[in-house]
């Protein structure tokens, strides 16, 4: 190439590096790079690395001139030369050369010609894959992030060229991430200013695809056609970005996703949002899963006043995320997860009842069916989260949800005061449905610790409400808790089975913990089964659930004592159906008879006492001939036809307690218990509105203390009971109740308002009394027995008992032989 010089100055030879650079360009750009001369240039650059930055600057100068003159053939040759030099040279002086290289890539990306943009991108991607030996302190990639993001949104007219530009933009962003993510000295690519450009650009291309399903966590080798699509390339790039995210960067990576879904109304379709978060959950490190879930929960709270479809979409994404998350990955704030979901459930019920709410734009009218869909989605999500938790945490969640269920008169039902009783009922049903989801598949070896009083008592109280739907939900929860060997499906249908071996029941020996559980809670369970059968509003589903509960108690938690109690309970149910004092409809009476018959048929075969089985089967045979409406096959059907009345249910169609007591007593069962009819004990727990609150519990404790206080240590003589006493008790019962209520109120008020010293003194008095009683007991038990020779006097004039050796004792003559 000729060197141009001024006529006033002699021509100077070009420096060697410029001559070597000029020689790589052919006269015709179609011939391509002169390879032999390129090898010379590369050898020179390696031999004199200090010249590398000048080579880069000169190549940059030539390329800029060729771009301006539209000599695109020479532009391609210059970029090819730059690429080869970059790949060959890794010396310490390469930083300056890289600056020239990036300057040329930038020049190409700024061009309006798609081919140059793609050429510059390809060169940048090659550069991004090079691991540099020396760090750079001053290099900036802000322009490249912006330009590549812009290319991802290309709207070029030709669809093929548009696709190529978008794919080049995706590759460029992938290159920027690879180049910067592991270099602490580079600009932090995780900063919001970069993520807010990168992530939406990727999602824009991901959304443009026709695929609706995300790939598995480790995608298989895709076909060549699939690899060429922007969607497939985008997903690989998105996965790579998320896979490189450290703990502190997850939030910056996920926030733009949430914003993109908000801005483009993509929650309502659910499909794309679910797909995005499937990619996120499968791509990030598993120990970071709970961070994504927490962000979704926060976003759900932030959209509390958005439409139900948006909230339902976020909840559906939460459901999918919880299913993917590993066990226990909800993180340390387990209860906060459920608190957020329960809060959304309450808000949804409130919105549905009020019909509207003040949204971000103005008052919005509620569509009830959309709120119902949201409520069902929240309940499913609660169950999905619970399934990822270990047993001990699931027990905590059960207690937490139980504490949220509104009880009239104890704590408010809903945030809105205008919801009234209907709102209380709806939220009770929703929270109980949530408990059904949480307890599904619940299995524990120690039911005492997993199901404490604080959970079982309020649950059983709800089983006595007048609402049949609430009672049915409580029964479902109890069945899930007690069924630990998947026996429940075998008890779903009530029928008379001649040989229960076909059911293939799994029966394990009752453990010590199970015995303690039944000793503590057995009577409560029996009482609630009895009272559940007594409810007039009970239907077929209720009786089937009660039968399943009886069956599960028999195979899961039954020892000999429990078996006796269950048989007594079944006979008590028969008496209930016969009682004329109970206003039960005819169908309910037939249902209770059929339930008792089916259960006695089951328990007699479990006890394997032949005479017991014979009596049960004889009664069932008589019923089949004379009274089929007392058997489950005629009662628990789609269209039962009960008789008009049940006046003549007697004789051989009834199970006889005397006969059962006789045959079981002969087999070693407790005859006294069997001969005693079962009578349910009614307690305060049976009245839902009087479930013990904190104040009532304190008053009960104080009442016990006041009875045992030193002031009342002396016993008052028993009062003589006469006719007048009983009459006065009946007449004054109302006044006495008022006085008792006032006394309790004063005691509670005392404990709430009295100074600490006074309360401490009151409790200290009781402790002193206890200690004195213990001292008396110890004195009696430790003191030596009296001696036959009497007492001896101590040195202080007090009598003292002394034990005398037997050889010193004087026995009467009649005792000696």
């Amino acid at each position: 190439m000729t060197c141009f010089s001024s006529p006033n100055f002699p021509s100077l030879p070009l420096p060697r590096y410029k001559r070597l650079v000029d020689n790589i360009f052919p006269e015709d750009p179609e011939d391509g790079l002169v390879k032999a001369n390129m090898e010379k240039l590369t050898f020179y650059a390696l031999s004199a690395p200090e010249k590398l930055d000048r080579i880069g600057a000169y190549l940059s100068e030539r390329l800029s001139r060729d771009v301006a003159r539209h000599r695109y053939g020479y532009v391609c040759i210059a970029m090819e030369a730059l690429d080869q030099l970059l790949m060959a040279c890794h010396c310490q002086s390469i930083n300056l050369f890289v600056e020239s290289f990036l300057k040329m890539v930038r020049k190409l990306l700024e061009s309006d010609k798609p081919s140059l943009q793609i050429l510059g991108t390809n060169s940048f991607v090659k550069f991004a894959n090079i691991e540099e030996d020396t760090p750079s302190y001053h290099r900036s990639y802000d322009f490249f992030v912006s330009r590549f993001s812009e290319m991802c949104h290309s709207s070029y007219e030709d669809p093929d060229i548009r696709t190529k530009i978008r794919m080049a933009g995706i590759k460029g962003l992938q290159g920027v991430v690879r180049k910067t993510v592991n270099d602490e000295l580079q600009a932090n690519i995780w900063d919001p200013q970069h993520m807010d450009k990168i992530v939406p650009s990727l999602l824009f291309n991901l959304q443009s695809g026709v695929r609706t399903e995300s790939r598995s966590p480790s995608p298989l080798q895709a076909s060549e056609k699939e690899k060429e699509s922007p969607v497939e390339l985008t997903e690989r790039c998105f996965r790579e970005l998320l896979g490189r995210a450290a703990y502190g960067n997850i939030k910056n990576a996920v926030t733009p996703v949430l914003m993109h879904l908000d801005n483009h109304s993509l929650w309502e379709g659910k499909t794309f949002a679910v797909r995005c978060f499937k990619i996120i959950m499968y791509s990030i490190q598993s120990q970071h899963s709970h961070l994504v879930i927490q962000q979704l929960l926060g976003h759900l709270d932030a959209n509390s006043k958005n439409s139900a479809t948006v909230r339902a979409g976020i909840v559906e994404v939460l459901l999918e995320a919880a299913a993917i998350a590993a066990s226990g990955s909800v993180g340390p704030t387990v209860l906060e997860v459920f608190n957020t979901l329960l809060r959304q459930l309450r808000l949804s019920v409130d919105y549905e009842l009020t019909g509207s709410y003040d949204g971000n734009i103005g008052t919005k009218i509620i569509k009830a069916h959309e709120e119902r869909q949201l409520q069902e989605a929240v309940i499913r999500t609660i169950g999905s989260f619970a399934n990822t938790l270990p047993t001990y945490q699931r027990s905590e969640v059960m207690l937490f949800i139980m504490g949220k269920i509104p009880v009239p008169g104890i704590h408010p039902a809903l945030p809105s005061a205008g919801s009234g009783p209907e709102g209380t009922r709806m939220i009770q049903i929703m929270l109980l449905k949530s408990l059904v989801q949480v307890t599904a598949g619940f299995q524990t070896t120690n039911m005492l610790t997993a199901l404490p009083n604080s959970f079982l008592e309020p649950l059983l109280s709800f089983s006595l409400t007048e609402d049949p739907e609430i009672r049915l939900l409580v029964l479902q929860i109890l069945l899930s808790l007690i069924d630990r060997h998947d026996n429940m499906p075998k008890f779903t249908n009530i029928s008379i089975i001649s040989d229960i071996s076909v059911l293939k029941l799994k029966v394990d020996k009752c453990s010590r913990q199970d015995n303690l559980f039944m000793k503590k809670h057995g009577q409560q369970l029996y009482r609630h089964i009895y009272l559940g059968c007594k409810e007039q509003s009970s239907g077929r589903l209720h009786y089937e659930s009660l039968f399943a509960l009886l069956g599960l108690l028999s195979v899961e938690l039954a020892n000999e004592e429990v078996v006796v109690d269950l048989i007594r309970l079944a006979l008590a149910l028969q008496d209930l159906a016969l009682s004329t004092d109970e206003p039960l409809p005819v169908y309910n009476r037939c249902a209770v008879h059929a339930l008792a018959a089916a259960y006695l048929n089951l328990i007699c075969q479990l006890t394997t006492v032949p005479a017991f089985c014979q009596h049960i089967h004889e009664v069932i045979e008589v019923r089949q001939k004379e009274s089929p409406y007392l058997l489950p096959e005629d009662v628990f059907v789609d269209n039962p036809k009960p008789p008009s009345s049940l006046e003549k249910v007697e004789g051989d169609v009834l199970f006889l307690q005397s006969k059962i007591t006789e045959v079981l007593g002969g087999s070693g069962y407790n005859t006294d218990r069997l001969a005693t009819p079962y009578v349910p004990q009614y307690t305060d727990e049976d009245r839902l509105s009087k479930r013990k609150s904190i104040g009532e519990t304190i008053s009960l404790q104080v009442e016990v203390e006041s009875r045992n206080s030193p002031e009342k240590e002396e016993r008052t003589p028993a009062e003589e009971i006469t006719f007048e006493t009983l009459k006065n008790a009946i007449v004054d019962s109302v006044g006495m109740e008022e006085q008792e209520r006032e006394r309790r109120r004063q005691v509670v008020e005392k404990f709430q308002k009295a100074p600490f010293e006074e309360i401490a003194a009151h409790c200290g008095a009781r402790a002193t009394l206890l200690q004195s009683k213990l001292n008396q007991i110890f004195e009696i038990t430790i003191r030596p027995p009296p001696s036959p020779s009497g007492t001896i006097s101590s040195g202080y004039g007090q009598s003292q008992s002394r034990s005398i050796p037997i050889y010193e004792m004087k026995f009467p003559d009649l005792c000696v032989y």
Side-chain angles (χ1 to χ4, degrees):
M1 188 170 286
T2 307
C3 178
F4 298 97
S5 61
S6 171
N8 299 325
F9 296 96
S11 64
L12 296 174
L14 287 173
R16 187 181 178 194
Y17 74 89
K18 286 190 176 182
R19 293 200 306 273
L20 289 172
V21 169
D22 289 341
N23 289 339
I24 67 173
F25 291 92
E27 291 185 6
D28 184 0
E30 295 293 331
D31 295 340
L33 185 70
V34 180
K35 294 183 179 179
N37 293 337
M38 186 64 217
E39 291 175 0
K40 292 178 183 178
L41 177 62
T42 305
F43 180 76
Y44 177 78
L46 292 171
S47 303
E50 69 277 2
K51 300 290 186 182
L52 192 58
D53 59 326
R54 299 185 185 183
I55 295 172
Y58 186 56
L59 271 169
S60 175
E61 181 186 335
R62 285 205 54 148
L63 183 135
S64 299
R65 187 170 65 243
D66 291 335
V67 169
R69 296 175 179 179
H70 305 288
R71 300 168 67 180
Y72 300 123
Y74 287 119
V75 171
C76 294
I77 292 172
M79 288 308 299
E80 186 180 352
L82 279 167
D83 291 344
Q84 290 191 25
L85 286 172
L86 200 60
M87 298 293 289
C89 304
H90 283 184
C91 61
Q92 292 185 355
S93 304
I94 198 172
N95 274 330
L96 295 176
F97 177 73
V98 168
E99 293 303 322
S100 300
F101 169 79
L102 293 178
K103 183 179 178 182
M104 287 181 275
V105 171
R106 180 169 181 164
K107 189 74 175 178
L108 295 180
L109 293 176
E110 288 174 341
S111 169
D112 294 333
K113 194 171 178 62
S115 58
L116 294 185
Q117 295 175 17
I118 295 169
L119 177 64
T121 302
N122 291 338
S123 292
F124 182 84
V125 170
K126 292 177 185 175
F127 160 70
N129 291 326
I130 296 175
E131 293 186 9
E132 297 182 58
D133 296 334
T134 55
S136 171
Y137 296 89
H138 57 280
R139 197 178 301 160
S140 172
Y141 293 96
D142 291 4
F143 165 78
F144 296 101
V145 171
S146 300
R147 184 59 183 144
F148 289 138
S149 299
E150 188 180 342
M151 290 169 66
C152 288
H153 291 85
S154 172
S155 55
Y156 201 84
E157 294 180 359
D158 188 328
D160 291 335
I161 295 177
R162 182 171 66 238
T163 299
K164 290 179 180 178
I165 294 174
R166 289 186 179 182
M167 289 185 68
I170 297 165
K171 289 177 181 177
L173 290 177
Q174 189 176 30
V176 172
V177 172
R178 287 178 179 175
K179 196 65 182 171
T180 59
V181 75
N182 291 325
D183 191 346
E184 296 179 357
L185 298 173
Q186 302 288 0
N188 190 358
I189 200 68
W190 300 107
D191 286 344
Q193 60 180 353
H194 299 309
M195 283 291 109
D196 289 347
K197 296 174 184 176
I198 294 173
V199 173
S201 301
L202 296 176
L203 295 179
F204 174 76
N205 285 278
L206 194 65
Q207 185 185 351
S208 64
V210 294
R211 290 172 53 203
T212 57
E213 276 294 321
S214 173
R215 284 193 162 273
S216 61
S218 301
L220 300 174
Q221 207 57 26
S223 65
E224 288 301 319
K225 183 177 180 181
E226 213 173 12
K227 279 184 179 179
E228 292 173 357
S229 71
V231 178
E232 180 66 21
L233 180 62
T234 303
E235 184 170 332
R236 286 206 307 271
C237 181
F238 195 31
R239 287 182 183 278
E240 183 178 340
L241 174 70
L242 295 164
R244 295 172 180 268
Y247 181 88
N249 302 326
I250 294 290
K251 182 178 180 181
N252 288 348
V254 174
T255 300
V257 178
L258 299 174
M259 294 301 104
H260 182 83
L261 296 173
D262 283 345
N263 296 336
H264 297 275
S265 303
L266 295 173
W267 291 111
E268 299 176 10
K270 298 179 187 176
T271 305
F272 180 70
V274 168
R275 181 182 168 202
C276 283
F277 276 90
K278 277 187 174 181
I279 293 173
I280 292 172
M281 297 301 292
Y282 280 130
S283 301
I284 62 174
Q285 300 174 46
S286 59
Q287 66 268 29
H288 300 159
S289 298
H290 66 94
L291 296 174
V292 179
I293 290 172
Q294 286 173 2
Q295 271 192 271
L296 280 168
L297 289 167
H299 200 66
L300 181 59
D301 271 345
N303 282 272
S304 293
K305 293 194 174 182
N306 216 324
S307 66
T309 52
V310 170
R311 284 177 282 139
I314 301 173
V315 171
E316 287 287 348
V317 171
L318 267 169
L319 177 64
E320 295 293 337
I324 296 170
S327 178
S329 68
V330 175
T333 56
V334 175
L335 295 183
E336 186 56 35
V337 171
F338 291 93
N339 194 32
T340 301
L341 292 172
L342 293 178
R343 183 164 59 247
Q344 292 299 321
L345 199 58
R346 281 172 170 264
L347 282 173
S348 179
V349 170
D350 195 22
Y351 291 160
E352 182 183 346
L353 290 170
T354 54
S356 64
Y357 64 90
D358 295 330
N360 300 328
I361 305 173
T363 302
K364 293 187 178 180
I365 304 301
I366 295 299
K367 295 180 181 178
H369 71 280
E370 291 181 352
E371 292 294 340
R372 287 293 174 92
Q373 290 172 358
L374 168 63
Q375 292 158 16
E376 294 299 325
V378 171
I379 290 170
R380 289 198 308 272
T381 306
I382 287 173
S384 181
F385 271 112
N387 289 333
T388 68
L389 298 176
T391 301
Y392 74 94
Q393 280 189 324
R394 203 188 289 203
S395 299
E396 290 179 6
V397 171
M398 287 158 48
L399 277 169
F400 182 74
I401 296 176
M402 180 58 72
K404 294 284 185 181
I405 301 180
V407 180
I410 292 183
H411 54 79
L414 287 169
S416 171
S419 52
E422 180 60 22
T424 301
R425 176 187 171 276
M426 283 182 66
I427 197 65
Q428 284 175 346
I429 290 174
M430 293 300 165
L431 293 178
L432 286 171
K433 283 182 177 180
S434 302
L435 271 177
V436 170
Q437 293 288 328
V438 172
T439 54
F442 180 82
Q443 293 186 354
T444 177
T445 53
N446 191 345
M447 296 192 70
L448 268 176
T449 56
L451 305 175
N453 259 347
S454 52
F455 177 79
L456 267 183
E457 284 195 7
L459 178 67
L460 293 175
S461 294
F462 280 108
S463 71
L464 301 174
T465 59
E466 295 180 359
D467 193 307
E469 187 176 359
I470 290 178
R471 295 204 308 274
L472 190 59
L473 289 170
V474 171
L475 285 170
Q476 291 176 14
I477 294 167
L478 281 173
L479 292 174
S480 297
L481 295 174
I482 295 173
D483 183 26
R484 293 174 294 176
H485 297 89
D486 297 323
N487 286 317
M488 188 168 65
K490 300 160 187 175
F491 295 121
T492 50
N493 295 320
I494 308 181
S495 59
I496 303 296
I497 301 174
S498 56
D499 183 8
I500 63 168
S501 61
V502 298
L503 296 177
K504 297 180 180 179
L505 296 171
K506 298 177 184 176
V507 184
D508 282 348
K509 187 177 180 181
C510 203
S511 66
R512 179 174 174 273
Q513 288 86 356
D514 292 341
N515 290 335
L516 290 173
F517 177 80
M518 288 305 293
K519 193 175 289 291
K520 188 173 183 180
H521 299 293
Q523 293 303 322
Q524 289 174 293
L525 293 170
Y526 307 148
R527 181 170 67 251
H528 288 276
I529 292 172
Y530 182 90
L531 296 177
C533 290
K534 195 176 176 180
E535 290 287 345
Q536 297 183 38
S537 57
S538 292
R540 176 182 174 181
L541 290 176
H542 293 85
Y543 290 115
E544 288 177 345
S545 299
L546 289 166
F547 173 74
L549 181 56
L550 285 165
L552 287 177
L553 288 174
S554 305
V555 297
E556 296 281 353
L557 299 167
N559 53 25
E560 184 176 314
E561 185 178 334
V562 172
V563 167
V564 171
D565 284 334
L566 289 170
I567 293 171
R568 290 171 61 220
L569 175 60
L571 292 170
L573 292 178
Q574 178 178 263
D575 293 340
L576 170 65
L578 292 170
S579 174
T580 56
D581 298 334
E582 299 295 340
L584 279 176
V586 174
Y587 172 78
N588 293 58
R589 293 182 184 276
C590 292
V592 174
H593 274 299
L595 171 64
Y599 178 67
L600 287 171
N601 175 66
L602 172 71
I603 196 70
C604 76
Q605 296 183 61
L606 288 173
T607 55
T608 63
V609 178
F612 183 25
C613 295
Q614 182 181 355
H615 172 64
I616 301 300
H617 291 156
E618 286 174 356
V619 174
I620 290 173
E621 287 176 4
V622 174
R623 288 189 178 188
Q624 287 171 341
K625 294 176 183 177
E626 300 179 7
S627 309
Y629 49 82
L630 300 181
L631 292 176
E633 285 77 8
D634 270 34
V635 177
F636 302 113
V637 292
D638 293 334
N639 295 308
K641 297 179 180 179
S644 56
S645 65
L646 286 178
E647 295 178 356
K648 296 183 179 180
V649 180
E650 55 188 9
D652 294 340
V653 298
L654 296 178
F655 302 100
L656 301 178
Q657 179 163 355
S658 58
K659 178 69 173 177
I660 294 173
T661 302
E662 178 186 342
V663 295
L664 288 179
S667 299
Y669 286 87
N670 190 327
T671 311
D672 294 336
R673 290 179 64 81
L674 280 168
T676 308
Y678 173 78
V679 178
Q681 298 176 354
Y682 292 88
T683 65
D684 281 347
E685 179 196 352
D686 298 335
R687 293 182 289 276
L688 182 61
S689 60
K690 292 190 177 181
R691 196 178 81 173
K692 294 181 180 64
S693 65
I694 295 173
E696 290 173 334
T697 304
I698 291 174
S699 69
L700 290 176
Q701 292 172 351
V702 173
E703 184 181 359
V704 172
E705 291 177 6
S706 62
R707 288 178 182 174
N708 295 329
S709 62
E711 292 81 8
K712 299 196 176 183
E713 188 171 346
E714 296 181 4
R715 289 189 178 182
T716 56
E719 183 182 356
E720 185 180 357
I721 300 175
T722 63
F723 174 80
E724 287 297 321
T725 308
L726 295 174
K727 182 179 178 181
N728 292 335
I730 295 172
V731 173
D732 297 339
S733 60
V734 178
M736 291 294 291
E737 285 181 4
E738 290 292 335
Q739 292 177 9
E740 179 68 14
R741 194 176 296 112
E742 177 64 20
R743 189 186 68 80
R744 288 195 175 202
R745 188 193 64 76
Q746 291 175 358
V747 172
V748 173
E749 185 176 358
K750 175 184 175 183
F751 267 75
Q752 289 174 343
K753 297 181 179 180
F756 175 78
E757 292 77 8
E758 185 179 340
I759 297 174
H762 182 81
C763 296
R766 188 183 176 215
T768 305
L769 173 66
L770 176 62
Q771 187 61 47
S772 66
K773 294 292 184 186
L774 286 174
N775 291 338
Q776 292 178 21
I777 294 168
F778 291 149
E779 186 180 354
I780 293 170
T781 55
I782 296 172
R783 187 174 58 194
S787 169
S789 59
T791 60
I792 60 174
S793 296
S794 65
Y796 298 95
Q798 297 175 345
S799 62
Q800 180 179 339
S801 297
R802 182 175 70 87
S803 185
I804 299 175
I806 193 167
Y807 57 82
E808 292 184 4
M809 294 181 185
K810 294 181 180 181
F811 295 94
D813 293 340
L814 292 176
C815 294
V816 181
Y817 61 92

